[in-house]
Amino acid sequence: MPVRRLSRTGIVAGFAAIALLCLPLADLQVAGHDPWSALGRMLTGFLRPDFSAVEDIFRALALTVAFAIAGVAAGGLAGLVMAPFYRFRAVRWTAIALRSVHELFWALLLMQVAGMGVLTGVLAIALPYAGIFAKVLSEILDEADPRPANWLGPQVDALSRFLWARAPLARPEMQTYALYRIECGLRSSAVLGFIGLPTLGFQLDSFFKQGEYGAAGAIMLVYILLIATLRLWMRPRLLLPWLVAAGAMLTQVTAPPMGAGALWRFLSQDILPAPLRQGDPAGLWPWLADLGRDAILPGIAATLVVAQLALILTGMIAFLGQALIVPRVMGRWGAALGHLLLVVLRSFPEYMLAYLFLQILGPSMLPAVLALALHNGAIIGHLLGRQAGGLTLRPDAPRGLTLWGWEIVPRLFGQFVALCLYRWEIIIRESAIMGILGIATLGFFLDDAIAELRLDRAVVILLATALLTAGIDWLSRGLRARLGARHLRAPGRGPARGVA
Amino acid sequence: MQLLTSAQLGYDATPVLRDVTLSVAPGDKVVLLGRSGAGKSTLLAALHQALLAQGRRVALMPQDHALVPQLSALRNVLMGRLDDHGAFYNLTTLIRPRRRDRQHALAILAQVGLTAEADRPVESLSGGQKQRVALARALFRGGDVLLGDEPLSAVDPAQAEHLARLLRQAFPTAILAMHDLDTARSFGTRLIGLRQGQIRIDGPIDAVWDRVEALYAR
């Protein structure tokens, strides 16, 4: 059955109209009590970084790398084991469930069981990453050249077929993807600091609380350098030394011990809905209704509003920024500057940017929207810019803004809309997370429930969050399919290579 | 060996070859000739299926080689016998080939002139060298029948003669699609000519050789 094609401008107009409707519902006021001086202090800190707390900075940096490497390695290994079996429903659903919960939410849950220690930090990264790795590695395996495996004939056992004729073909792309995931892991690991892990986020938070802007600036500079030089210090053959170093570093982390039986209590009592625990099954429905009215519905509404505004702003930034790294538009120096700007915005995770904006602008939806839009806009702008650089232009094509308007924008518009739709799901996930910073999205209610030790409520909110993300994912995929952009590749994977 | 009886070969509804009946006697060295697109690859694929269905051991040299570029030439050769061993044996071979297997594969690589390249990944080899690795893999595998699609297309003419001889000696029966008429003539004992979806020539190579040109006429 032919699916009716949607027009790209129609979709853009529709999303923009919804965003306009969201605008009156959004709390966008500047609540900080003196934003300009806060911004001034922060910029001064950036320009005059203070490295006197070098010991603290180095320790936080090393632990950030250690948690990232350990978490990504564990998640990658688990994903690699699952990938060949991804076509089985049990494996696929496990992977979907693992990755539908954000690493910060995993950490909040695991804390209840394992305390704020090494296990929580590593698992919070490893669990969702295992789900993502399983999916992407299985795609890479499926796309690898099938001919050598076919040559082997029907007699060869499955393990030999996989190890000799499937895995080697997929290995180069798997390596590239793993490197990208380590970059993501560094971001996750840094952000986990904001909820108590001893990584960069934690150190940044404590410097801000002490008003040490110079030291905070130093942390951010070190962090950008760390991500920018990743490809220099992370080499496949250095993996083993890095793993050993990460393990050694993690033994330095001490955490208050948890009482025995924490896991069992968590599974058998804490997450059981209160009415059931108290032997009153009839109370379950009112309990759920209360929870829906007080937490889930307002949380979903706020999450959708933040995400919608952030998506439109993301689109605007990406639309304008898609030529920032194209020398023919910006000039050589302009393009280099554009690169720098986009790299900085991409390396800071949304959550960390939102934290910074929150220090300046005070608590409202504004910091979250700005952070989401800048980070995601920079990512889309970078991807489009790379494509724009690769466009074949006629020899007498214009330069500068004319090129942007007459060639790049029209030729990449389809990609632009598809990438924005793809990012929509990611923006929803991250909007939910922003609640932990105090903005009333789903994460706020989740964090609240955990703080009150009402883990039964937390688990239901978590389920609602996962369902919301899955729903948006489904919607986005449907829209992309009707735009004829079904085959967008997962982030971190190179362009599709034609099979010779 | 009766391999095909009144078969329609091709993809879906539009057969590339119609009404093909073919049997091969042990000892036949068959060369398949015909313009590109005449259906040589299709016929080879069908013969492969038929031979496997009869439980024959087949060594296959597909046109695209189907090598694993990331593995060394030696390991690609060793792939020829994975189905003779269990998973554990193959796993240990992948990690470190046994001395006996290594010696055997090296001897065959020496025959095709690749001793120096044995431990280099196939992706770093030239087109002709890759083809010789595929050839060595077929030799290492051995079997009742060799099936090859342009197996000597990328090697230089001086080598082609020598390699064709190796193949002749190693396999009792062989069916090769070829484009170089000189090599075809010296290799084959029997010629099958394809044109416009049908077998137009089938006979002892010397008896039918003067009809070859008609296969390529426009």
Side-chain angles (χ1 to χ4, degrees):
Chain A
M1 196 183 75
V3 182
R4 204 170 68 87
R5 289 284 282 261
L6 294 167
S7 95
R8 294 162 188 157
T9 33
I11 287 194
V12 173
F15 271 90
I18 297 175
L20 274 181
L21 291 178
C22 287
L23 216 44
L25 305 173
D27 165 25
L28 294 175
Q29 58 170 320
V30 177
H33 98 151
D34 188 359
W36 286 114
S37 77
L39 181 65
R41 283 197 299 275
M42 204 174 278
L43 284 181
T44 327
F46 237 137
L47 293 177
R48 261 182 289 171
D50 171 10
F51 287 94
S52 58
V54 61
E55 222 167 284
D56 291 340
I57 296 176
F58 180 77
R59 185 180 143 80
L61 182 76
L63 281 172
T64 304
V65 177
F67 273 111
I69 288 177
V72 175
L77 199 64
L80 188 62
V81 171
M82 286 195 272
F85 308 102
Y86 199 72
R87 62 179 181 281
F88 297 114
R89 193 172 297 161
V91 175
R92 198 167 57 242
W93 283 86
T94 309
I96 290 174
L98 285 173
R99 68 172 182 266
S100 71
V101 176
H102 193 284
E103 49 267 25
L104 276 178
F105 288 157
W106 271 120
L108 287 176
L109 273 188
L110 289 162
M111 252 158 57
Q112 308 306 314
V113 179
M116 200 18 113
V118 174
L119 191 63
T120 296
V122 172
L123 281 182
I125 297 175
L127 290 173
Y129 280 36
I132 300 168
F133 265 118
K135 170 170 182 274
V136 174
L137 296 187
S138 86
E139 281 173 14
I140 293 177
L141 280 172
D142 286 347
E143 285 168 26
D145 186 355
R147 291 172 296 189
N150 291 341
W151 186 91
L152 289 176
Q155 306 279 322
V156 175
D157 65 283
L159 183 67
S160 300
R161 182 185 304 280
F162 178 78
L163 290 177
W164 282 78
R166 310 272 321 144
L169 292 153
R171 197 184 61 207
E173 220 195 320
M174 285 181 169
Q175 256 173 22
T176 315
Y177 184 72
L179 193 64
Y180 165 77
R181 269 288 134 197
I182 289 183
E183 190 183 323
C184 299
L186 285 171
R187 286 199 278 267
S188 301
S189 163
V191 162
L192 284 172
F194 287 106
I195 58 167
L197 220 59
T199 58
L200 282 177
F202 184 80
Q203 204 49 246
L204 190 68
D205 190 32
S206 52
F207 282 146
F208 267 118
K209 280 184 179 143
Q210 295 158 21
E212 293 181 21
Y213 290 91
I219 284 252
M220 288 187 278
L221 281 181
V222 165
Y223 179 68
I224 292 174
L225 274 179
L226 180 73
I227 301 242
T229 57
L230 173 68
R231 275 158 181 75
L232 299 177
W233 53 266
M234 183 39 95
R235 296 289 171 97
R237 67 181 49 184
L238 291 179
L239 184 63
L240 204 62
W242 274 116
L243 276 174
V244 172
M249 197 62 213
L250 290 180
T251 58
Q252 308 291 309
V253 178
T254 49
M258 295 295 286
L263 177 63
W264 177 242
R265 205 191 62 225
F266 175 78
L267 290 176
S268 66
Q269 293 187 20
D270 292 352
I271 62 170
L272 227 54
L276 293 185
R277 212 182 317 145
Q278 289 146 10
D280 172 26
L284 188 61
W285 180 245
W287 179 82
L288 270 179
D290 273 0
L291 184 58
R293 196 190 54 232
D294 299 341
I296 293 178
L297 288 181
I300 287 181
T303 305
L304 286 174
V305 167
V306 168
Q308 190 66 27
L309 294 175
L311 179 63
I312 293 302
L313 200 56
T314 297
M316 291 203 240
I317 291 171
F319 187 77
L320 294 173
Q322 60 186 320
L324 271 182
I325 60 170
V326 182
R328 217 182 151 94
V329 175
M330 299 292 295
R332 199 191 317 162
W333 290 103
L337 263 169
H339 254 302
L340 185 68
L341 180 69
L342 293 190
V343 164
V344 169
L345 288 176
R346 276 185 299 138
S347 0
F348 278 109
E350 295 100 323
Y351 192 88
M352 200 186 270
L353 278 179
Y355 175 88
L356 295 178
F357 291 146
L358 199 71
Q359 311 299 314
I360 302 170
L361 300 167
S364 75
M365 289 183 182
L366 192 57
V369 171
L370 280 180
L372 288 164
L374 281 172
H375 178 79
N376 289 293
I379 288 179
I380 300 177
H382 168 78
L383 291 173
L384 288 175
R386 276 208 319 218
Q387 290 193 22
L391 286 178
T392 9
L393 297 169
R394 54 178 206 278
D396 61 341
R399 298 179 161 273
L401 269 182
T402 320
L403 180 72
W404 174 79
W406 287 82
E407 293 274 357
I408 295 179
V409 168
R411 283 170 77 173
L412 295 183
F413 194 64
Q415 274 292 308
F416 163 76
V417 176
L419 282 167
C420 285
L421 284 173
Y422 191 93
R423 282 270 141 194
W424 189 23
E425 186 229 321
I426 296 167
I427 290 176
I428 287 271
R429 292 163 60 93
E430 295 290 333
S431 303
I433 287 298
M434 295 293 175
I436 305 176
L437 285 170
I439 301 150
T441 58
L442 279 163
F444 173 78
F445 297 98
L446 184 83
D447 195 29
D448 204 36
I450 287 178
E452 292 174 359
L453 289 176
R454 295 161 85 171
L455 298 181
D456 47 347
R457 289 169 67 103
V459 168
V460 177
I461 298 173
L462 205 54
L463 280 177
T465 312
L467 284 178
L468 177 69
T469 326
I472 295 292
D473 185 30
W474 173 80
L475 199 59
S476 149
R477 213 176 318 186
L479 285 174
R480 291 202 311 269
R482 295 179 68 173
L483 278 175
R486 197 190 309 260
H487 300 293
L488 212 60
R489 291 157 71 82
R493 296 196 51 198
R497 265 170 300 180
V499 176
Chain B
M1 291 175 257
Q2 183 64 35
L3 295 175
L4 297 170
T5 314
S6 302
Q8 313 290 322
L9 309 176
Y11 312 98
D12 304 328
T14 50
V16 178
L17 291 167
R18 288 177 300 277
D19 197 22
V20 182
T21 300
L22 192 66
S23 67
V24 175
D28 272 357
K29 305 284 191 288
V30 182
V31 292
L32 284 179
L33 297 179
R35 283 164 58 178
S36 53
K40 289 174 289 185
S41 301
T42 310
L43 181 57
L44 281 173
L47 290 173
H48 187 212
Q49 290 306 317
L51 285 163
L52 288 183
Q54 294 185 4
R56 307 269 173 189
R57 186 178 175 96
V58 181
L60 189 66
M61 287 189 65
Q63 196 166 21
D64 50 46
H65 309 329
L67 298 166
V68 180
Q70 293 79 12
L71 294 182
S72 66
L74 185 94
R75 282 187 172 74
N76 270 283
V77 172
L78 290 170
M79 279 180 84
R81 289 196 178 175
L82 290 185
D83 54 356
D84 294 346
H85 305 287
F88 181 74
Y89 187 98
N90 291 336
L91 175 64
T92 49
T93 306
L94 184 63
I95 296 166
R96 189 182 164 82
R98 287 162 185 72
R99 180 190 290 271
R100 191 167 35 97
D101 289 339
R102 190 180 157 82
Q103 293 306 332
H104 187 177
L106 275 176
I108 288 177
L109 280 168
Q111 287 185 319
V112 301
L114 287 176
T115 305
E117 287 79 12
D119 290 316
R120 277 173 51 192
V122 162
E123 60 193 348
S124 70
L125 303 182
S126 74
Q129 289 172 327
K130 282 178 189 156
Q131 189 161 52
R132 282 186 275 151
V133 174
L135 203 143
R137 182 182 57 182
L139 289 172
F140 180 72
R141 175 167 181 74
D144 309 321
V145 184
L146 170 72
L147 280 185
D149 199 345
E150 307 274 3
L152 302 169
S153 59
V155 297
D156 60 67
Q159 285 176 325
E161 207 60 32
H162 162 67
L163 296 172
R165 206 174 319 119
L166 277 179
L167 292 177
R168 255 183 93 100
Q169 288 160 0
F171 294 94
T173 311
I175 308 170
L176 303 184
M178 293 188 141
H179 73 289
D180 183 66
L181 292 182
D182 291 338
T183 326
R185 176 123 203 212
S186 68
F187 179 84
T189 60
R190 174 180 166 191
L191 187 153
I192 292 180
L194 301 177
R195 185 172 164 87
Q196 289 174 342
Q198 279 174 330
I199 294 180
R200 291 292 175 87
I201 306 173
D202 185 357
I205 197 156
D206 293 324
V208 297
W209 191 253
D210 49 349
R211 290 163 59 196
V212 162
E213 229 162 84
L215 292 173
Y216 297 93
R218 303 229 155 229

